[in-house]
Amino acid sequence: MKESVRLVVENFGPIKQADILFDKYTVLIGQQGTGKSTIAKLYSMFTWLEKGLIRRTLSKKQMTQYARFQKNYCAYHRLDSYFKEQSVIRFDGLHYNFCYENGKLHITENDNELSFNIAKVMYVPAERNFLSTMDIITNSRNLPDTLKTFLDEFENAKAGLKVGYHLPFGDTSYEYDALNKISWIKGTDYKIRLSAASSGYQSVLPLLLVTKFLADMVQNNANKKDLDLPERKQIEKEVNKVMNDPSISEEVKFATLRIISSRFKYSRFVNIVEEMEQNLYPESQMKVLFELLRYANLLDSNRLLLTTHSPYIVNYLTLAAKAFLLQEKIGTQELLNEKIETIVPTQCRVNPDRLRIYELDNGTVNLVNHYEGVPSDENFLNMQLGYTNELFDALLEIEEEFDTKN
């Protein structure tokens, strides 16, 4: 069973040419408008479509007819206007391959073990902090679909939280008053509503709560027994009966199919996060990243995709990768392992063989090389830090020139 999936994109939105292999940890870096979110949204959409095919809530015929791929599925992520006459999109999934070319979507099956690798997919939009600015959102109809879905999961996470949540920075914790539907941020000597908290808390709290809720749910679900062939056949029979009943509305069909397909177990959590560093101090970025890595590492089949503008994120991933390699090198030496643990906890480490960082620029996507097992610092974000030093040196030279003349 293969572990990675591949996305090839040509002439779609800002992307001219991209060939990306998504591994356990995948990171997209680059300037605004280079296509990071486009790639992340396509990955999210195809992973969700593949899940729908496996669980029989969607069919090949349904996906490929009436331009639904563009008008429904891509429109959900607001990608429907990105199509060009020469657009080509190919996604080689774990069980299905999708190919959009010449205005048509084609789907082929590549694996029959349909009970395996059913993903719980969560797209975490950059606009998530909006959900924290109000205690109760009374009307979500005007929200973008991705934000509306994330709001639903945020509400589920809050309702499912029984003992509170301790944030990884600031010595603060989160509490939820379910009776009055109020979220609280609690410090050592204060307690304020989330809606009145700083932008950093408003951005990170929805991200971490939903991540914890879904990662824990999938981990618990993964312990369930796989469906055997007769059980899968029975589900397929029930699905076909619902799909072929003309007396049932589309809305009722979808709701019924969701109930039927719930008998399939989730076996992996695919967490797709836009700009996790939003409004966070660099040290807080590291602690939040390590928290995301910890949940990604709960199951080997979990996946984490990050888009980022922060050079610190790449540097902290380098720390996590180096800690992994160092632990492998020193083996069971207890004292040295304890020292590593104070820098990067065991459950937050990253196998660099499973880490892929892609740099997007001018419509193309390039893999950032590794150097001695860890990501190279020759990437856009680190070069921007170096560029600042060069500009400062230039100012010093101007100052020196002035002092010489005067």
Side-chain angles (χ1 to χ4, degrees), residues 83-273:
F83 286 83
K84 301 173 184 176
E85 206 172 301
Q86 309 84 7
S87 290
V88 175
I89 310 171
R90 292 198 299 273
F91 182 80
D92 297 334
L94 296 179
H95 305 290
Y96 289 89
N97 296 331
F98 301 79
C99 180
Y100 175 87
E101 195 169 9
N102 298 321
K104 292 185 179 297
L105 178 69
H106 301 277
I107 304 170
T108 56
E109 189 173 338
N110 62 28
D111 197 314
N112 291 320
E113 295 295 334
L114 297 184
S115 63
F116 298 147
N117 289 302
I118 297 179
K120 178 62 181 177
V121 187
M122 188 67 255
Y123 188 87
V124 184
E127 305 88 352
R128 59 188 173 272
N129 57 334
F130 171 76
L131 304 180
S132 300
T133 60
M134 293 177 281
D135 292 316
I136 302 174
I137 298 179
T138 56
N139 184 2
S140 63
R141 284 181 297 177
N142 295 324
L143 292 176
D145 287 336
T146 51
L147 197 57
K148 195 184 303 181
T149 300
F150 185 74
L151 172 61
D152 290 340
E153 296 294 3
F154 186 31
E155 294 298 326
N156 291 337
K158 288 190 288 187
L161 194 70
K162 305 299 182 185
V163 294
Y165 175 75
H166 192 79
L167 276 79
F169 62 88
D171 195 22
T172 54
S173 57
Y174 170 78
E175 292 181 358
Y176 182 59
D177 178 355
L179 181 63
N180 297 299
K181 297 185 177 180
I182 298 175
S183 296
W184 295 94
I185 295 291
K186 192 176 178 183
T188 53
D189 57 355
Y190 68 90
K191 182 178 178 179
I192 59 172
R193 293 176 185 238
L194 176 60
S195 57
S198 72
S199 59
Y201 287 117
Q202 291 180 345
S203 173
V204 80
L205 213 292
L207 163 62
L208 291 182
L209 278 192
V210 171
T211 295
K212 172 180 170 52
F213 176 72
L214 295 181
D216 288 345
M217 181 197 73
V218 171
Q219 185 183 32
N220 294 333
N221 199 260
N223 295 326
K224 294 181 181 178
K225 181 179 75 74
D226 285 328
L227 297 177
D228 57 25
L229 183 59
E231 289 172 317
R232 297 206 305 270
K233 290 291 185 182
Q234 177 60 31
I235 289 177
E236 190 168 352
K237 183 179 177 181
E238 293 174 31
V239 167
N240 290 335
K241 183 178 179 180
V242 172
M243 293 293 291
N244 297 323
D245 189 340
S247 67
I248 303 177
S249 69
E250 289 298 316
E251 187 175 320
V252 173
K253 281 183 180 180
F254 183 72
T256 305
L257 291 175
R258 287 189 64 180
I259 294 171
I260 294 172
S261 67
S262 65
R263 282 180 270 170
F264 285 100
K265 75 170 192 177
Y266 287 118
S267 58
R268 61 190 181 114
F269 174 40
V270 179
N271 200 15
I272 302 163
V273 183

